[in-house]
Amino acid sequence: LRAVADHLIENVKWRQNSPEHEIRWLNLTGFCIRPGFGDAFDEVRMPKLWKVYLQKSQFLKVKQNAVEWWIFCRRIAGGLTAGQQRQFFQDVSSYLLANDGAGKKVPKQEMTEVWMAAANMERLLVKDKVALSKKLIPQLKPGKTPHQMFWALSRLGARELLYGSVDRVVPAKQAEKWTNRLMNVSWTSKDQIASALAQILRKTGDRSRDVSQDIIQTMVPWLDQMKAPKKFRDMIQTVVPIESADEASIFGESLPQGLILKQ
């Protein structure tokens, strides 16, 4: 995969040929470089891809190009530095955090991809994650919200990060506040909200990150009522290692075969 990525990076000008060329370049390059780290030479590749980011999509006015652009950003997120992720946040905050009726108008499908890309930036400052989450939560509506938006919230509020440092985890009190609010909504699609809250409350064994026992005691019967899988109850009550299947779910897609994330 990285060999293919190197060939695509070397021929980055291909994406300028037409909207269709750029769609294929963004999709394949992002696929081959995901999650942005894991190979010894990724530190050389990522600065080249950051230059691509700074140039933006060549055909942003084409709907599919815009969508593929944000997918590309999400896939390479893990290889971006904290400063680069912060710049990404500043670039998108004008419309992700805009008040209703204000900011840039973005089609729904594209906006979903923007949220997913932002949520995958684990090195964002805690205050930025809190700001994004406070704007995202009111958008979660029973029967109306794309499942990817629940995934985005689970990434922003996760107790266990996949590549970010522990000082970038949203405070437990904040996670408890979100949980109490979301538990009082009558959800139609129960698996999505149950999965998101399980990630937000996941037990780590680290007292600085773990939520209070009170919220866990409230959450367990709620999960039973929602008929959620047993693994969700286990996740919030005991320290359960993240398995390969969980990694794919958390990242939003499968990782390259043979790549294993270690704490």
Side-chain angles (χ1 to χ4, degrees):
L1 287 170
R2 290 302 194 263
V4 175
D6 288 339
H7 187 62
L8 290 164
I9 293 171
E10 181 182 349
N11 294 281
V12 65
K13 291 184 178 180
W14 285 347
R15 71 189 186 103
Q16 301 175 1
N17 291 347
S18 72
E20 290 76 15
H21 280 82
E22 184 178 61
I23 287 171
R24 297 293 171 255
W25 191 94
L26 290 171
N27 189 286
L28 188 54
T29 303
F31 180 83
C32 291
I33 209 72
R34 74 197 197 287
F37 61 92
D39 183 88
F41 290 99
D42 282 348
E43 291 185 2
V44 176
R45 298 180 180 106
M46 289 308 300
K48 297 177 181 178
L49 292 179
W50 181 246
K51 290 181 180 179
V52 173
Y53 173 78
L54 294 177
Q55 295 168 359
K56 306 300 180 185
S57 167
Q58 304 297 298
F59 305 95
L60 267 180
K61 293 184 179 181
V62 180
K63 182 177 179 180
Q64 190 59 37
N65 288 68
V67 170
E68 292 293 345
W69 174 254
W70 301 116
I71 293 174
F72 168 76
C73 292
R74 169 170 57 82
R75 284 173 162 172
I76 70 171
L80 300 179
T81 66
Q84 290 168 341
Q85 291 193 3
R86 174 67 177 172
Q87 180 167 339
F88 176 89
F89 169 77
Q90 292 174 329
D91 291 342
V92 301
S93 61
S94 61
Y95 43 101
L96 286 187
L97 302 182
N99 294 323
D100 293 341
K104 180 181 176 181
K105 301 299 181 183
V106 180
K108 186 174 182 179
Q109 182 186 2
E110 182 183 346
M111 183 63 88
T112 298
E113 294 296 345
V114 180
W115 273 110
M116 292 181 71
N120 214 26
M121 304 284 171
E122 287 191 347
R123 297 190 174 100
L124 288 179
L125 297 172
V126 167
K127 67 175 184 178
D128 296 335
K129 292 185 178 182
V130 170
L132 288 169
S133 299
K134 286 183 176 180
K135 197 68 181 178
L136 175 58
I137 289 174
Q139 299 181 45
L140 304 181
K141 306 291 185 182
K144 298 181 180 180
T145 307
H147 67 88
Q148 295 95 331
M149 300 293 271
F150 292 93
W151 176 90
L153 181 64
S154 75
R155 297 288 282 125
L156 290 168
R159 300 297 88 203
E160 193 76 75
L161 302 183
L162 290 174
Y163 65 84
S165 54
V166 295
D167 64 318
R168 299 305 164 99
V169 174
V170 169
K173 292 295 184 183
Q174 193 74 55
E176 293 176 18
K177 183 178 179 180
W178 300 341
T179 301
N180 283 322
R181 175 174 177 175
L182 293 168
M183 286 172 62
N184 290 318
V185 177
S186 298
W187 298 102
T188 52
S189 182
K190 300 178 180 180
D191 287 349
Q192 295 164 9
I193 187 62
S195 177
L197 291 181
Q199 293 294 344
I200 292 173
L201 302 180
R202 188 181 194 121
K203 189 174 183 63
T204 67
D206 179 358
R207 293 178 60 184
S208 67
R209 286 181 285 161
D210 286 342
V211 298
S212 69
Q213 193 59 33
D214 290 341
I215 193 71
I216 297 301
Q217 291 176 350
T218 303
M219 188 66 176
V220 170
W222 184 84
L223 287 171
D224 288 335
Q225 181 182 353
M226 297 288 280
K227 297 181 179 180
K230 179 179 179 297
K231 68 175 183 178
F232 293 157
R233 297 191 293 278
D234 293 341
M235 282 169 52
I236 67 174
Q237 292 179 292
T238 59
V239 179
V240 180
I242 298 178
E243 299 178 349
S244 297
D246 295 326
E247 289 175 356
S249 175
I250 293 171
F251 260 112
E253 62 180 316
S254 63
L255 292 172
Q257 188 173 4
L259 178 60
I260 301 173
L261 301 181
K262 294 185 177 180
Q263 297 297 327

